[in-house]
């Protein structure tokens, strides 16, 4: 059999039937969720296929719900989740970004809102906002604090890097390249430019997020810029 035959192609790329974990990495950019009469939250628009009997319910915002102000402020699909319920295999992805599965054991992690791909129903999600115009201009308008016990899946452009934060060594990051951080950290926003020049430009170079204390920050080799509605 030729290595380029259709049969060889199917055998190389087909789904692995032996994988039965709730959350599985089927490919580096493709998450498989094995539902057995369960519910899961996934990023709206992330479903690329499914097998079995699964129903989908579109949610207006993240599962915690938010007011009209944030709904008007955020454009695109990054703020919205979809509830999938039933029995079968669900496949989700986000623009070819790499997927990382994390299991929280009564722990918390903060994630850029656009980088949350999926989480179990047992996980609590709370939205926090950067109370600064710089946060809006950077596109890092909102973050999601995921806490409890269960699986979550986050996405990154390329291979991420974790930077350790200690009291002697705070970490400064570009908001557009910051994916996640440990739940005990509360970042500050640092900027040295005037309000006028900040509004005139939308790049993330003029300001940084500062992380102090003990914990970690996950960054990606890419500046992800989001559109904010006028």
């Amino acid at each position: 059999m030729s290595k380029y035959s259709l049969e060889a192609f199917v055998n190389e790329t087909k789904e692995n039937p032996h994988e039965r974990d709730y959350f599985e990495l089927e490919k580096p950019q493709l998450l498989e969720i094995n539902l057995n009469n369960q519910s899961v939250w996934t990023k709206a628009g992330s479903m690329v296929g499914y097998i079995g009997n699964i129903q989908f319910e579109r949610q207006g915002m993240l599962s915690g719900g938010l007011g009209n102000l944030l709904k008007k402020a955020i454009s695109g699909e990054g703020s919205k989740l979809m509830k999938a319920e039933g029995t079968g295999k669900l496949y989700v992805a986000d623009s070819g970004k790499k997927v990382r599965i994390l299991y929280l054991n009564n722990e918390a992690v903060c994630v850029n809102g656009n980088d949350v791909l999926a989480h179990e129903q047992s996980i609590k999600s709370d939205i926090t906002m950067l109370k600064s115009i710089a946060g809006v201009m950077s596109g890092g308008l909102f973050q999601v604090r995921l806490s409890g016990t269960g699986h979550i899946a986050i996405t990154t452009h390329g291979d991420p890097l974790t930077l350790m934060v200690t009291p002697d060594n705070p970490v400064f990051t570009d908001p557009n390249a910051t994916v996640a951080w440990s739940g005990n950290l509360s970042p500050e926003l640092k900027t040295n430019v005037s309000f006028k020049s900040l509004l005139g430009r939308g790049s993330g170079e003029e300001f940084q997020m500062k992380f102090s204390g003990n914990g970690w920050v996950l960054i990606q080799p890419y500046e992800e810029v989001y559109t904010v509605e006028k």
Side-chain angles (χ1 to χ4, degrees):
M1 180 178 65
S2 168
K3 66 178 180 179
Y4 297 118
S5 69
L6 275 176
E7 183 181 354
F9 172 74
V10 170
N11 286 334
E12 179 188 345
T13 58
K14 70 182 178 182
E15 179 260 338
N16 186 347
H18 301 296
E19 293 179 340
R20 288 289 182 267
D21 285 349
Y22 192 2
F23 279 38
E24 280 283 353
L25 266 190
E26 188 62 32
K27 303 288 182 183
Q29 297 89 0
L30 191 62
L31 174 68
E32 174 186 290
I33 303 173
N34 289 286
L35 293 171
N36 184 14
N37 197 26
Q38 295 161 298
S39 298
V40 67
W41 293 100
T42 64
K43 184 176 182 177
S46 65
M47 188 276 286
V48 294
Y50 70 92
I51 302 168
N53 184 19
I54 301 175
Q55 291 79 42
F56 300 94
E57 179 184 345
R58 182 71 171 264
Q59 302 296 314
M61 296 299 292
L62 287 156
S63 52
L66 276 181
N68 289 329
L69 177 63
L70 191 56
K71 288 183 183 181
K72 291 178 181 177
I74 302 173
S75 61
E77 298 300 301
S79 58
K80 299 170 184 172
L81 287 185
M82 175 176 61
K83 184 180 182 182
E85 190 170 22
T87 298
K89 291 177 177 288
L90 172 63
Y91 298 95
V92 293
D94 184 11
S95 302
K97 294 164 67 177
K98 288 198 170 183
V99 180
R100 289 295 179 110
I101 300 171
L102 304 173
Y103 184 79
L104 302 183
N105 184 13
N106 195 27
E107 297 166 298
V109 61
C110 294
V111 185
N112 185 307
N114 199 54
D115 298 324
V116 178
L117 180 62
H119 66 80
E120 284 192 50
Q121 195 171 27
S122 59
I123 295 293
K124 182 183 179 185
S125 63
D126 296 295
I127 295 177
T128 59
M129 296 178 64
L130 292 178
K131 296 180 174 63
S132 165
I133 185 65
V136 176
M137 294 306 295
S138 73
L141 183 63
F142 71 105
Q143 296 84 38
V144 186
R145 189 176 192 271
L146 300 171
S147 59
T149 298
H151 293 88
I152 68 172
I154 65 175
T155 57
T156 65
H157 285 278
D159 294 319
L161 175 70
T162 297
L163 303 176
M164 303 307 297
V165 181
T166 66
D168 295 333
N169 290 293
V171 172
F172 298 84
T173 65
D174 182 330
N176 294 334
T178 307
V179 177
W181 55 92
S182 46
N184 60 304
L185 296 181
S186 297
E188 303 174 61
L189 215 55
K190 295 293 192 182
T191 179
N192 294 316
V193 298
S194 70
F195 185 79
K196 182 178 179 181
S197 66
L198 184 63
L199 288 178
R201 298 180 61 188
S203 88
E205 301 302 323
E206 298 96 348
F207 47 90
Q208 305 88 33
M209 297 173 79
K210 178 184 179 182
F211 296 87
S212 305
N214 281 294
W216 53 267
V217 183
L218 185 70
I219 59 173
Q220 63 184 3
Y222 183 93
E223 292 187 47
E224 193 164 13
V225 180
Y226 316 108
T227 304
V228 179
E229 291 179 349
K230 301 299 182 185

